[in-house]
């Protein structure tokens, strides 16, 4: 064969190869470049998004650590502000006591206003009764006030709560703190017990409920709210005939089941009884006796009882 024919055959073989055709196609090259560029752009966008998310999480963690560190430093500087610290508990107790005192004063003020309204209305009724019959007859009967069956709110005004317990008693407007230092000397079967000083308040609640009682009585025959020892500013007549005012002690039974006894005489419930020096009080079936004295009283009789007991013990030992 001639060399020209060989050349033509080799060129024909080369032209039939698909690889040579693809490599020489300009359209295929452009498409491939675009795909690589799009892939590179997409990969860079994803990397940027991932980097931004990681940076945001890192900033959030750093801010949370900073806040925790700030709170920890504040707690170290002010240990009383911790929830479990002693100063925090003391402040909370003081705040609760203040709130209870404000609430009690608010209810007492409302009861005084309600009582004054009732007294004023009762005074108007007495004035109407004192008028002549002719004037009362002249009034038109159609102007009479019709009965109202709506809620008056009187029970809500009379309610007095202290430490979550409803108190059956409310102090009168003439309640005062005494200047004279009164004391209660308790005895149990001729045994002298510690003295109770009862001149620092205007009223003392006696009962079995230790949460609210000022003077607790633990005998089972006594009620939870048994009686009240109340000081009142009352009028009295002097020797020269003039009228003066003086703070005197009173006892009132709150409707107890087994009663209150003044000098071995049971007193009526819901009624004030004036107390005098050396009066003896008993509550329920308790054997304890409470003798009322003050700072200038003669306590020789009180001191004589323990001496008599010692003498009896000595006589028994000698015999």
């Amino acid at each position: 064969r001639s060399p020209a024919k060989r050349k033509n055959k080799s060129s024909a073989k080369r032209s039939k190869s698909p690889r040579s055709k693809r490599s020489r196609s300009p359209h295929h090259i452009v498409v491939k470049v675009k795909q690589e560029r799009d892939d590179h752009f997409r990969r860079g966008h994803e990397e940027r998004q991932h980097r931004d998310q990681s940076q945001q999480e890192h900033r959030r963690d750093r801010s949370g650590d900073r806040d925790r560190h700030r709170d920890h430093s504040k707690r170290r500087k002010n240990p009383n502000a911790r929830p479990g610290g002693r100063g925090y508990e003391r402040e909370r107790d003081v705040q609760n006591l203040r709130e209870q005192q404000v609430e009690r004063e608010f209810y007492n003020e409302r009861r005084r206003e309600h009582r004054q309204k009732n007294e004023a209305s009762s005074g108007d009724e007495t004035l109407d009764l004192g008028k002549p019959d002719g004037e009362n007859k002249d009034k038109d009967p159609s102007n009479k006030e019709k009965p109202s069956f709506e809620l008056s709110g009187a029970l809500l005004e009379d309610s007095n709560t202290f430490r979550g317990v409803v108190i059956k008693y409310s102090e009168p407007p003439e309640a005062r703190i005494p200047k004279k230092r009164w004391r209660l000397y308790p005895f149990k079967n001729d045994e002298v017990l510690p003295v109770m000083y009862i001149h620092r308040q205007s009223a003392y609640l006696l009962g079995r409920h230790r949460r609210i009682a000022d003077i607790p009585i633990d005998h089972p025959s006594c009620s939870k709210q048994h009686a009240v020892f109340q000081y009142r500013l009352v009028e009295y007549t002097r020797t020269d005939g003039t009228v003066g005012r003086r703070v005197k002690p009173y006892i009132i039974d709150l409707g107890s089941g087994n009663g209150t006894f003044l000098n071995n005489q049971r007193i009526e419930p819901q009624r004030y009884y004036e107390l005098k020096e050396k009066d003896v009080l008993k509550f329920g079936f308790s054997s304890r006796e409470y003798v009322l004295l003050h700072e200038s009283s003669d306590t020789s009789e009180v001191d004589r009882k323990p001496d008599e007991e010692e003498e009896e013990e000595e006589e028994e030992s000698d015999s």
Side-chain angles (χ1 to χ4, degrees):
R1 297 179 182 176
S2 64
K5 287 183 179 180
R6 259 185 229 147
K7 273 185 186 179
N8 291 334
K9 284 182 181 180
S10 64
S11 63
K13 286 179 183 178
R14 237 184 265 120
S15 63
K16 289 179 181 178
S17 173
R19 185 177 299 173
S20 60
K21 288 181 182 179
R22 203 181 301 121
S23 61
R24 284 196 300 270
S25 173
H27 177 71
H28 178 72
I29 295 171
V30 171
V31 171
K32 188 173 182 181
V33 169
K34 285 184 178 180
Q35 287 180 353
E36 289 179 355
R37 187 173 58 196
D38 294 341
D39 293 340
H40 180 70
F41 178 75
R42 193 183 305 109
R43 202 180 301 113
H45 182 65
E46 290 177 356
E47 289 178 356
R48 281 195 299 274
Q49 284 184 346
H50 181 69
R51 194 184 308 115
D52 294 340
Q53 289 179 358
S54 61
Q55 288 178 357
Q56 289 179 359
E57 292 177 357
H58 182 64
R59 289 197 200 98
R60 199 180 299 116
D61 295 339
R62 287 188 64 185
S63 63
D65 295 339
R66 196 181 300 114
D67 294 338
R68 284 194 294 271
H69 179 70
R70 191 183 297 112
D71 295 339
H72 182 67
S73 62
K74 286 181 180 178
R75 290 197 199 98
R76 288 185 63 186
K77 290 179 181 178
N78 189 8
N80 292 333
R82 297 178 186 175
R86 295 180 180 176
Y88 178 79
E89 294 178 356
R90 194 181 299 111
E91 291 178 359
R92 184 180 59 188
D93 295 339
V94 170
Q95 186 177 1
N96 291 337
L97 289 174
R98 288 176 181 171
E99 291 178 355
Q100 291 173 1
Q101 188 175 3
V102 170
E103 184 179 2
R104 191 169 184 176
E105 291 176 355
F106 172 72
Y107 281 114
N108 287 336
E109 187 66 26
R110 291 185 64 182
R111 279 193 297 276
R112 289 193 190 97
E113 293 177 358
H114 184 65
R115 196 178 295 110
Q116 289 174 0
K117 290 180 181 178
N118 290 338
E119 290 176 357
S121 61
S122 62
D124 295 340
E125 289 177 0
T126 53
L127 289 174
D128 293 339
L129 291 173
K131 289 182 180 180
D133 296 337
E135 295 182 4
N136 292 331
K137 289 179 181 178
D138 293 340
K139 291 183 178 179
D140 189 3
S142 62
N143 293 332
K144 288 184 179 179
E145 185 179 355
K146 295 181 180 181
S148 176
F149 299 100
E150 297 180 357
L151 295 175
S152 63
L155 291 175
L156 180 62
E157 290 182 356
D158 289 338
S159 64
N160 182 15
T161 57
F162 179 65
R163 293 183 180 177
V165 181
V166 178
I167 309 297
K168 297 180 181 179
Y169 176 80
S170 59
E171 292 192 61
E174 67 270 13
R176 297 291 187 277
I177 297 176
K179 293 182 180 180
K180 189 179 291 186
R181 297 186 178 182
W182 291 94
R183 302 168 185 175
L184 277 178
Y185 288 81
F187 295 91
K188 182 180 180 181
N189 297 328
D190 296 334
E191 178 186 354
V192 181
L193 299 176
V195 181
M196 298 179 182
Y197 298 92
I198 53 171
H199 63 275
R200 298 183 179 93
Q201 297 176 192
S202 59
Y204 289 84
L205 178 62
L206 299 95
R208 201 159 37 86
H209 204 313
R210 281 186 166 268
R211 190 174 182 181
I212 57 174
D214 299 308
I215 301 176
I217 306 172
D218 296 329
H219 200 271
S221 65
C222 297
S223 302
K224 291 183 178 179
Q225 300 181 37
H226 196 97
V228 172
F229 192 87
Q230 178 71 58
Y231 292 103
R232 301 170 62 198
L233 181 65
V234 294
E235 295 181 352
Y236 73 100
T237 305
R238 298 190 182 95
T239 55
D240 56 356
T242 57
V243 179
R245 288 187 174 186
R246 182 184 297 169
V247 179
K248 293 183 180 181
Y250 288 83
I251 189 72
I252 181 173
D253 185 87
L254 300 180
S256 59
N258 297 313
T260 302
F261 297 86
L262 174 60
N263 298 326
N264 295 326
Q265 296 291 328
R266 184 166 180 169
I267 62 175
E268 296 180 8
Q270 306 298 338
R271 180 181 171 187
Y272 286 110
Y273 284 83
E274 183 182 349
L275 296 177
K276 297 181 180 179
E277 185 183 358
K278 298 183 181 179
D279 279 348
V280 181
L281 293 169
K282 290 184 69 176
F283 304 98
F285 301 135
S286 175
S287 60
R288 295 194 179 189
E289 297 179 348
Y290 298 85
V291 182
L292 181 65
L293 298 172
H294 53 77
E295 56 184 349
S296 57
S297 300
D298 184 13
T299 59
S300 59
E301 295 182 4
V302 178
D303 298 334
R304 194 182 301 141
K305 288 187 177 181
D307 296 338
E308 290 176 356
E309 291 177 1
E310 291 178 0
E311 290 177 0
E312 289 178 359
E313 291 178 357
E314 289 177 359
E315 289 177 357
E316 289 176 359
S317 62
D318 293 339
S319 61

